[in-house]
C-alpha cells in the first residue's frame, strides 16, 4: 500500500512539474535555512561540552570598591595570589589554575613568529581541562618554569614532522629558552580556551606578588563536586572581609560556572563571548521560516484542490475510503519533504563555506553525516510532513464524489479563513523580520557614524615590546620621516577599549576614600594621534614623560589629564581641575594639567565612565597616524623601514577600525544573518501568496469570463482579483508592527547609546511588504485576466 502511495505521488510530480517544482523549491529554501541556522545554534549550545569537568569548574570574578567610592568595578581578572590562597583555604577546591594570554615572540633557528595565541597556565591545567596530551606527561608538562606544550599544527610549523618533545624554543624579547614538554591536538573550534602554545605559569614569576591587587590574570577553580558552588560562595565574602580589613577597600570574588561563560556572561573569556539572547533570536527565526515554508506548501496544495477533485471523486466511487485518501496525500507530502530535505542537505553543504564566513565560525561539512544529524533530519521530515501535509490531505479526502462527478462541485468557503490566516501569519512574520533587520542595521550604522570623541581613521596599531623602549625616540623619528605619517604615539591601550583599573582621590579627600577609575598610560603625542579634544589646560609634553623616568621613584612627578566624567567625580569643573593636586593609586601623586572631552573608550553598551591619562615611556601599543594618501604605498614603505630599525620583531599591524569593529562582532553577525533570512522569509511568503491567488483565480474563472464579455479590461480585472489579498497583507502589517516595535525596544535597551525606533522604519517596511505582495498578486491576476473568456466559460 505504501509503495502504491509513493508511486502515485511520483506520477503526480511528473504530471505537474511546475507545481511540484515550486513546492519543492519553497520547502528546500526553508529547510536549508533551518539546517544552517540549526548547525550554528548546535555549535554555540555545545560550546565546551567536551570538557568532562565543565560542571565543576568556576571562573573567579573580582569585584572591588574603595571606601567612599560611588561605585564598584567588576571583571574577570584576579591577582596571582587568589588561586593558591583559595586552594589552601577552602576544602571545596581540588585544583586552582591561573591563566594569562597575550601575543609573544617565538623564535626557532631563523624562524621568528609573533604568536598571537600564546597562553600561560599552572601545572594543574590538564587535571582541570580535558585537553589530552599526545606526547608528554600531563603531571609534569607545566610543573616548572620555561616549559611549553605545542598543538599539532604549531609543532608542524616549527619542526615539520619531527618529534618536538625535548626541543627548545626562544620565547619573548629576552629570548628565554623554553623546553617543549608535550604535544596535543589542536583546540576544538567550540572551545573558549584556544591556544597554539601553552607555557608554564611559573615562567612569569608570579609568586612575588603577595596582594589581591595587580589583577592581570584569569583564575579557574575545580570544585570537588558541582554542588559546591553555593557553599563555597557563602564562605568567600566573610573570608575576604577579614583579608581586606583596614585596607581602605572592599574586595570580593564571585564564582561563575564555566559552562555559562560563552553565552551568559557579561565578561569575555579568552575570546569574545556570544549571547544567549542572539541564540534565542535565531531559534525564533528558524521556527518562523519553517512555519512559512510549511504554510507555503499548504497554500499551494489547496490551490490545486479543484484540479484534484475529480481524481478524488473517481477514487471514492471505486471504493477508496477517507483514510486511504488521507494517507495517499500524506504520502505525497512525505515524498516532497524527503526530496526537499535531500536537496537542502546538498545546498547546506555547498553554502557552508559562505555561511562560515558570514558567522565567523568553523562549522564542518562532515557534521551533516553524523548520526545525530541524520536522526534530526528524519524528525524534521516527519514534523514538516505533518505540519504541511495534514491540512491539504484532510481537505482533499473530504471532497463529495457525487458533486464532483456531476460537475456541480465548487470548493466551499469553509476553509478560506484558514488559508487567509496563513497568508496573514506569513506576512506578519516577514514584516517583523524586515523591521528587525532594518533597525539592527540602523543601530550598526549609528555605531559606525556616531561621534566617539576620537578619530579612528587611518590609525595603524603596532605591537611593542621591551627592547623597543630604549630606542623609542629613534623609532618614532624614523617612522615620521615618511611624509604620510602625521604622528606616532606610545600607549598601553588604544582609545577603542581601555580597561585598566586604578583608583584616584583628590588631595582634599581622606586617604581611605578612593574612587575607582579607568586609566591609560600614554606619551606626549597620544591626544594628537587619536584626535581627542582638549577643553581645558594643556597637553602632555616630552618633559612630562621624562618627569616619571627617574630611577628614584620618589622623585617622579606625575601630570594627569582627566576626562569630564573624572573631573566631575572629583567635584571639579574642567577649568577648576587645572593645577589641582591628586593621586592615582598611592604611588602616583601629581597635578592635573588638562581635561579632555568625554569619549567612548568602551563599547556603546556601556555609559562613559571616569578616565585618567598619565605619561609614561612604557606601553604595549604604538599608534601611527597616517594622512590617508597612498595608504598601500605608505604601509609598504613603513614595512621596509621597520625591518631596518626593528629587525628583531616582525612587522605586524592592523588599523584602529578593526579594534572598533571587533567590539560589535556579535551584532554585525546577527545583522548579516537576518539580512539574508528576512529576504528568504519574504520570498517564501510570496510563494504562499502566489498559491492562494492562483486558487482564488480558479474559483472565479467563470466570473472573470463574464466580466470580460461585458467589457471589463485587464486592469479592472487585475485590481478586482488583487484587492482582497492586499487587504490581507495590510492586516498582517497592523499585527506585525506592535510586535516588531516591542522586540526592537527590548533589544536596543542593551545599548547605553542607541538609535531611535522611528515610525519611518515601520512605514517603509509596510510599504515594501505591500509592494512585493502587489507585484506577486498582480502577475497572477494579469495572467488570469488575459485568458480567453470563451475558454473560461467552457471550463466552467
Amino acid at each position: 500500500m505504501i509503495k502504491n502511495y509513493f508511486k502515485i505521488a511520483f506520477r503526480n510530480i511528473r504530471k505537474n512539474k511546475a507545481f511540484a517544482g515550486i513546492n519543492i523549491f519553497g520547502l528546500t529554501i526553508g529547510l536549508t535555512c533551518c539546517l544552517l541556522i540549526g548547525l550554528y545554534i548546535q555549535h554555540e549550545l555545545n560550546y565546551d561540552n567536551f570538557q568532562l569537568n565543565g560542571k565543576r569548574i568556576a571562573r573567579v570574578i573580582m569585584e572591588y570598591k574603595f571606601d567612599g567610592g560611588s561605585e564598584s568595578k567588576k571583571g574577570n581578572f584576579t591577582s596571582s595570589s587568589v588561586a593558591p590562597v583559595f586552594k589552601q583555604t577552602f576544602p571545596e577546591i581540588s585544583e586552582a589554575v591561573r591563566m594569562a594570554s597575550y601575543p609573544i615572540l617565538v623564535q626557532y633557528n631563523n624562524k621568528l613568529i609573533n604568536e598571537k595565541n600564546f597562553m600561560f597556565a599552572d601545572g594543574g591545567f590538564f587535571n582541570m581541562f580535558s585537553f589530552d596530551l599526545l606526547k608528554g606527561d600531563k603531571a609534569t608538562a607545566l610543573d616548572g618554569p620555561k616549559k611549553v606544550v605545542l598543538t599539532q599544527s604549531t609543532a608542524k610549523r616549527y619542526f615539520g614532522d619531527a618529534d618536538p618533545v625535548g626541543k627548545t624554543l626562544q620565547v619573548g624579547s629576552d629570548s628565554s629558552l623554553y623546553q617543549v614538554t608535550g604535544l596535543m591536538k589542536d583546540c576544538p573550534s567550540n572551545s573558549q580556551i584556544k591556544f597554539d602554545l601553552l607555557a608554564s605559569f611559573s615562567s612569569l614569576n608570579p609568586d612575588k606578588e603577595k596582594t589581591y591587587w595587580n589583577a592581570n590574570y584569569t583564575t579557574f577553580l575545580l570544585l570537588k563536586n558541582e554542588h559546591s558552588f553555593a557553599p563555597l560562595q557563602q564562605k568567600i565574602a566573610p573570608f575576604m572581609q577579614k583579608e581586606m580589613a583596614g585596607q581602605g577597600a572592599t574586595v570580593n570574588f564571585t564564582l561563575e560556572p564555566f559552562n555559562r561563560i560563552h553565552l551568559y556572561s557579561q565578561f569575555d573569556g579568552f575570546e569574545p563571548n556570544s549571547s544567549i539572547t542572539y541564540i534565542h533570536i535565531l531559534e525564533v527565526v528558524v521556527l518562523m521560516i519553517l512555519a512559512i515554508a510549511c504554510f507555503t506548501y499548504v497554500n499551494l496544495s489547496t490551490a490545486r484542490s479543484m484540479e484534484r477533485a475529480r481524481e478524488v471523486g473517481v477514487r471514492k466511487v471505486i471504493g477508496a475510503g477517507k483514510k486511504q485518501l488521507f494517507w495517499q496525500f500524506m504520502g505525497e507530502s512525505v515524498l516532497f519533504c524527503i526530496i526537499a530535505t535531500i536537496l537542502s542537505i546538498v545546498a547546506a553543504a555547498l553554502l557552508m563555506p559562505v555561511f562560515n564566513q558570514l558567522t565567523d565560525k568553523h562549522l564542518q561539512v562532515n557534521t551533516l553525516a553524523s548520526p545525530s544529524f541524520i536522526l534530526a533530519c528524519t524528525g524534521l521530515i516527519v514534523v514538516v510532513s505533518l505540519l504541511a501535509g495534514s491540512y491539504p490531505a484532510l481537505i482533499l479526502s473530504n471532497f463529495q464524489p457525487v458533486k464532483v462527478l456531476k460537475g456541480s462541485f465548487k470548493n466551499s468557503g469553509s476553509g478560506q479563513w484558514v488559508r487567509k490566516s496563513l497568508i496573514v501569519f506569513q506576512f506578519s512574520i516577514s514584516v517583523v523580520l524586515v523591521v528587525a533587520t532594518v533597525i539592527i542595521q540602523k543601530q550598526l550604522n549609528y555605531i559606525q557614524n556616531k561621534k566617539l570623541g576620537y578619530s579612528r581613521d587611518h590609525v595603524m596599531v603596532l605591537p611593542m615590546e621591551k627592547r623597543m623602549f630604549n630606542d623609542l625616540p629613534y623609532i618614532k623619528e624614523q617612522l615620521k620621516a615618511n611624509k604620510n605619517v602625521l604622528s606616532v604615539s606610545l600607549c598601553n591601550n588604544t582609545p577603542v577599549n581601555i580597561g585598566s583599573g586604578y583608583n584616584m582621590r583628590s588631595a582634599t579627600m581622606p586617604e581611605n576614600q578612593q574612587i575607582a577609575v579607568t586609566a591609560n598610560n600614554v606619551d606626549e603625542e597620544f591626544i594628537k594621534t587619536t584626535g581627542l579634544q582638549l577643553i581645558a589646560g594643556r597637553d602632555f609634553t616630552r618633559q612630562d614623560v621624562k618627569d616619571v623616568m627617574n630611577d628614584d621613584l620618589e622623585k617622579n612627578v606625575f601630570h594627569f589629564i582627566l576626562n569630564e566624567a573624572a573631573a566631575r567625580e572629583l567635584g571639579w569643573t574642567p577649568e577648576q581641575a587645572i593645577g589641582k593636586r591628586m593621586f592615582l593609586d598611592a604611588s602616583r601623586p601629581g597635578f592635573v594639567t588638562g581635561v579632555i572631552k568625554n569619549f567612548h573608550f568602551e563599547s556603546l553598551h556601556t555609559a562613559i565612565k571616569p578616565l585618567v591619562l598619565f605619561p609614561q615611556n612604557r606601553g604595549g601599543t604604538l599608534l601611527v597616524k597616517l594622512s590617508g594618501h597612498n595608504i598601500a604605498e605608505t604601509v609598504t614603505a613603513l614595512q621596509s623601514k621597520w625591518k631596518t630599525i626593528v629587525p628583531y620583531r616582525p612587522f605586524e599591524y592592523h588599523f584602529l577600525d578593526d579594534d572598533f569593529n571587533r567590539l560589535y562582532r556579535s551584532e554585525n553577525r546577527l545583522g548579516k544573518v537576518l539580512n539574508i533570512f528576512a529576504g528568504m522569509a519574504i520570498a517564501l511568503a510570496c510563494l504562499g501568496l502566489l498559491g492562494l491567488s492562483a486558487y482564488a483565480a480558479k474559483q472565479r474563472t467563470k466570473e472573470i469570463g463574464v466580466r470580460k464579455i461585458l467589457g471589463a479590461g485587464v486592469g479592472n480585472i487585475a485590481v478586482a482579483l488583487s484587492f482582497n489579498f492586499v487587504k490581507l497583507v495590510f492586516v498582517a502589517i497592523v499585527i506585525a508592527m506592535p510586535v516588531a516595535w516591542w522586540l526592537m525596544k527590548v533589544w536596543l535597551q542593551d545599548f547605553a547609546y542607541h538609535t531611535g525606533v522611528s515610525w519611518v522604519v515601520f512605514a517603509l517596511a509596510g510599504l515594501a511588504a505591500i509592494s512585493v505582495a502587489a507585484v506577486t498578486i498582480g502577475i497572477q491576476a494579469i495572467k488570469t485576466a488575459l485568458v480567453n473568456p470563451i475558454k473560461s466559460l467552457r471550463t466552467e
Side-chain angles (χ1 to χ4, degrees), residues 150-162 164 180 182-183 196:
L150 308 183
T151 61
Q152 284 180 303
S153 58
T154 306
K156 193 170 187 64
R157 276 194 282 123
Y158 286 100
F159 305 108
D161 296 326
V180 178
L183 176 69
D196 295 325

Side-chain angles (χ1 to χ4, degrees), residues 488-699:
V488 181
S489 172
L490 174 71
C491 61
N492 197 45
N493 299 114
T494 72
V496 170
N497 194 13
I498 303 173
S500 301
Y502 292 78
N503 61 79
M504 68 175 182
R505 67 177 178 89
S506 68
T508 59
M509 294 168 60
E511 288 188 21
N512 63 351
Q513 186 177 349
Q514 303 282 347
I515 298 172
V517 67
T518 302
N520 193 24
N521 52 286
V522 302
D523 69 1
E524 71 278 9
E525 292 190 77
F526 182 77
I527 290 180
K528 176 184 176 182
T529 302
T530 56
L532 298 178
Q533 185 178 347
L534 197 67
I535 58 177
R538 64 170 178 83
D539 195 356
F540 290 136
T541 64
R542 184 61 191 164
Q543 186 59 47
D544 293 335
V545 177
K546 291 180 179 179
D547 286 344
V548 296
M549 294 172 59
N550 298 296
D551 293 332
D552 186 353
L553 298 181
E554 293 185 359
K555 293 181 179 180
N556 285 339
V557 178
F558 281 86
H559 302 270
F560 303 111
I561 293 179
L562 314 180
N563 70 349
E564 294 172 285
R568 184 169 55 250
E569 193 74 16
L570 291 169
W572 304 322
T573 65
E575 292 74 19
Q576 291 171 342
I578 306 305
K580 290 289 195 301
R581 183 170 173 78
M582 64 167 286
F583 298 84
L584 184 68
D585 292 344
S587 60
R588 295 183 181 89
F591 299 89
V592 179
T593 61
V595 177
I596 54 174
K597 191 175 182 62
N598 282 342
F599 71 96
H600 294 276
F601 58 88
E602 294 177 304
S603 81
L604 297 185
H605 289 280
T606 308
I608 295 175
K609 298 174 182 176
L611 173 74
V612 176
L613 302 179
F614 63 96
Q616 196 163 314
N617 67 330
R618 295 288 186 269
T621 303
L622 201 63
L623 302 179
V624 181
K625 178 69 173 180
L626 306 180
S627 65
H629 303 300
N630 302 318
I631 290 181
E633 294 178 13
T634 303
V635 171
T636 301
L638 292 179
Q639 181 176 15
S640 177
K641 178 70 70 173
W642 187 271
K643 290 178 180 178
T644 303
I645 60 178
V646 193
Y648 46 83
R649 183 173 187 90
F651 181 77
E652 294 182 345
Y653 73 94
H654 63 272
F655 283 94
L656 206 56
D657 265 336
D658 299 328
D659 289 338
F660 179 79
N661 292 330
R662 200 173 294 119
L663 292 177
Y664 307 99
R665 189 166 68 175
S666 294
E667 288 78 12
N668 280 309
R669 189 163 52 207
L670 180 66
K672 291 176 183 176
V673 170
L674 282 183
N675 278 343
I676 293 174
F677 293 118
M680 295 292 187
I682 285 285
L684 290 173
C686 287
L687 275 178
L689 193 59
L690 184 67
L692 194 55
S693 61
Y695 170 82
K698 284 185 177 294
Q699 288 283 70

Side-chain angles (χ1 to χ4, degrees), residues 61-91:
I61 301 297
M62 180 178 178
E63 183 175 8
Y64 64 94
K65 180 180 178 182
F66 298 102
D67 294 347
S70 59
E71 64 177 52
S72 60
K73 295 199 72 172
K74 196 173 183 180
N76 61 332
F77 40 72
T78 70
S79 72
S80 63
S81 298
V82 173
V85 170
F86 277 29
K87 184 179 179 182
Q88 183 178 1
T89 305
F90 302 113

Side-chain angles (χ1 to χ4, degrees), residues 12-25:
N12 280 315
I13 289 175
R14 288 199 301 270
K15 183 181 177 182
N16 301 281
K17 295 183 179 65
F19 163 78
I22 294 174
N23 243 336
I24 291 172
F25 179 70

Side-chain angles (χ1 to χ4, degrees), residues 774-792:
V775 170
T776 304
I777 301 163
I779 291 171
Q780 180 63 42
I782 292 171
K783 179 182 176 183
T784 305
L786 289 172
V787 174
N788 190 320
I790 296 174
K791 185 177 179 181
S792 299

Side-chain angles (χ1 to χ4, degrees), residues 252-318:
N252 194 23
F253 297 98
T254 55
L255 305 179
E256 188 175 51
F258 177 79
N259 286 343
R260 293 181 63 84
I261 293 173
H262 181 67
L263 291 177
Y264 295 91
S265 178
Q266 61 178 309
F267 307 110
D268 287 337
F270 291 108
E271 65 175 20
N273 290 343
S274 185
S275 168
I276 192 62
T277 300
Y278 295 157
I279 297 300
H280 290 329
I281 290 174
L282 291 176
E283 286 172 340
V284 172
V285 169
V286 165
L287 294 176
M288 285 180 171
I289 290 178
L290 191 60
I292 290 175
C294 291
F295 296 159
T296 298
Y297 180 90
V298 170
N299 280 332
L300 290 172
S301 297
T302 53
R304 286 193 65 239
S305 59
M306 289 184 67
E307 296 177 16
R308 305 292 299 273
R310 191 173 296 276
E311 174 194 341
V312 172
V314 172
R315 287 183 178 278
K316 281 195 170 184
V317 167
I318 61 177

